[in-house]
Amino acid sequence: MPKTVMQLVLIGFAFLSLSVLADPAKVYTTCAACHGDKGQGNPQLQGPVLAGLSGEYLTRQLQAFQQGKRGQHPQDVPGQQMAAMAKSLLSEETDLAALSAYIEQMPLPQQSTRLSGDLKSGNAYYQNNCGACHGGQGQGNPAFQAPRLAGQDSDYLRRQFMYFKRGIRGTDKSDKPGRQMAMMANTLPDDKLNDVLAFIGSL
Amino acid sequence: MSKGNIFAVVLIVAAFFVGRHWFADTPTVMTDSRSGAGYSGGAESTGSARSGLVRAIHTAPRTGTVHEVREGELIMDKVKVAEPGDTILVYPGSYSETVYIDKDNIRLSGVIEKGQRAVLDGKGHLNDAVLYSGNDIVVENLLITKYKGNAIMGQAGNNFEIRNNIIVDTGVYGIFPQLGKNGIVTHNVISGIEDAAIYVGMSDNIHVAHNQVFESVAGIEIENSRHAIVENNYVTNNTGGILAFITPGLPVKTTYDVIIRNNFIVGNNHPNFGAPGSTVAGIPPGTGILIMAADEVVVEGNIISDNKTAGIIITDHNNAPNTTIDPESDPAPDKVAILDNLMHNNGYDTIDEAKALMLTEFKTGNPDIVRVGVSRDSCIINRHQYVTVGVDNWAECGFTHTGDIMTYLLDKPVEPREIDPSEVGKVAYLGICAGCHTYTGRMIGPPVQVIQALYMDNAQGLADYIANPVKKRDDYPEMPPQDYLDATTRLAVAEYMLSVSK
């Protein structure tokens, strides 16, 4: 085969694989087992809701998993699983922005969990300690890179909150949003977390 | 109705009659408040030798220069050249600017001609109308409208007099002396304010009298302040009429010795239009007087009528809406004294919490007085006149009137605050920022602990933000620019804000 043809074939092959990797819908099929086909989450596998999260936040989390800033702590088993997925399912060539944009436009999930708790106290502590970054309705606020909390699984939120509090997530020097959240995790009295989660679940 | 329900109703009714039978036999205690012992005031107050009308602090004739401002000129140009002791006369006309007085002893006085006033018009885009950080400041006879932040805000100035102003539809606070000692707020007409029409914050020895406040979320608010008298005001159609509060998370942790007397507190049923999630957004429409965590509040001689939730609500922090606990503040309102008041037609459309409380005491009717949570050593006279819940076990008061106390203003103006250069940041923080930011809670702006998480050690970034704030949160008002402070002060206050821990 002449060299130029060979080169063309090679380029064509590279192009093909790139386009597969770049097709977010196809990439997402590998995520669906743990996060649901519509990003609605899968509590059995501890996979959180992804629908409703912003593209910016999704990309940042995927990079954090890939770069070992999240999901490498020995006590964070679900995080380790996700970190492994981020390294195996996604490669250097994956267009993370496109994948995140694809997930971002998934419709908001229907309310799943209803935790019981004191909603009045939950509202008070949420509005005073959390709402200034996550929004009064738990809708998230891109100005602070703070993700949507409304609609997220309560067990997942509790786990992440405790990770921040116990220094398992949000410790890396370069992870400013994570460190900001970790500071806030220390401001909530322990006995109010359940009320706050119940309030978020009611939004 | 199912059998179970009928049974429950029968039980409640039976309990009700049993309750009446058991508790109603105590004889009615009637107290004649036309005579008897008088309230002696807070322990620390100095007791004033003043008598007669309380109208002014500065009564000596003024000898300084008089600067005149007419339409087309800037008030601020005269402020810049004025010396302490000077008067600035503003003639009728329209002025659109922020006036910032950072020197002592200036009188900013509108001239009223045939009913025409000097109008400060924020046009919906300016933030504050009048700010002062000097001592011995007088602001009078102005008409202020359409500002987004404050109409008149005092920042750590003592001996202030704010009188005869009309304030319509301006942002978050109407008249807001913060961190001042010895001051008067009288004869102002204020309406359409998203938080408090008159907000006395972290101040001492204050006299708030003869004001008309209406159609605001909170009418008159005495917050984290001591030795204050609120009298002869006409407070109507606000969400909550008169409030004595400890707001958790502020640098000053107490409110005590507040006399609320001889006010008309009528029909405060306005829908609550406070920013959702803020403290005042939790006030139920139809609240005449709200006492939250404040101590030694005496309520006497008011006409309290037509407030649909209750005439007076007394609550601790644990039971107050949108409120979290400050470990350094006692959450309980102690030593509250309710003397004779005319209460009529309150509580006719009250909240479920009040109804539930009434059920526990087997009470019926529309509540005039509702107490929730802890309150120690409180007292009341002539309780038989009102429908009450939560005050049955309060003592009879040992005094029946406050007539021995004319005012808590001081006999002589207090010395101006000396500010050491190393304290510039702290004073600006206390005098300005703490008006809208508490450490732990959402007041007007986000809590300081959130700001600390956002900025960490980036004081310069914070200083840059306050010079030229951008809107970041849908459900908060805008943060007014602090560009009237010089760059050194902005950095100092930023550093201080990042260093506080309570």
Side-chain angles (χ1 to χ4, degrees), chain B residues 310-312 314 338 343 367-371 380 386-391:
Chain B
I312 306 178
I314 302 124
I338 299 180
M343 301 226 217
D368 291 305
I369 304 176
V370 176
R371 190 270 303 167
I380 181 169
Y386 321 116
V387 177
T388 68
V389 62
V391 303

Side-chain angles (χ1 to χ4, degrees), chain A residues 66-87:
Chain A
Q66 286 179 325
Q67 296 161 4
K69 291 180 197 168
R70 183 176 169 187
Q72 79 324 346
H73 196 284
Q75 287 173 28
D76 178 10
V77 177
Q80 288 173 15
Q81 286 173 0
M82 179 58 213
M85 293 300 125
K87 286 169 193 153

Side-chain angles (χ1 to χ4, degrees), chain B residues 25 114 208 224 247 331 350 375 377 457 485:
Chain B
D25 279 352
K114 299 200 173 66
V208 179
N224 303 47
T247 290
T350 196
S375 171
D377 303 323
D457 49 12
L485 302 173

Side-chain angles (χ1 to χ4, degrees), chain B residues 4 41 45 51 225 269 312:
Chain B
S45 71
S51 62
S225 295
N269 298 318
I312 306 178

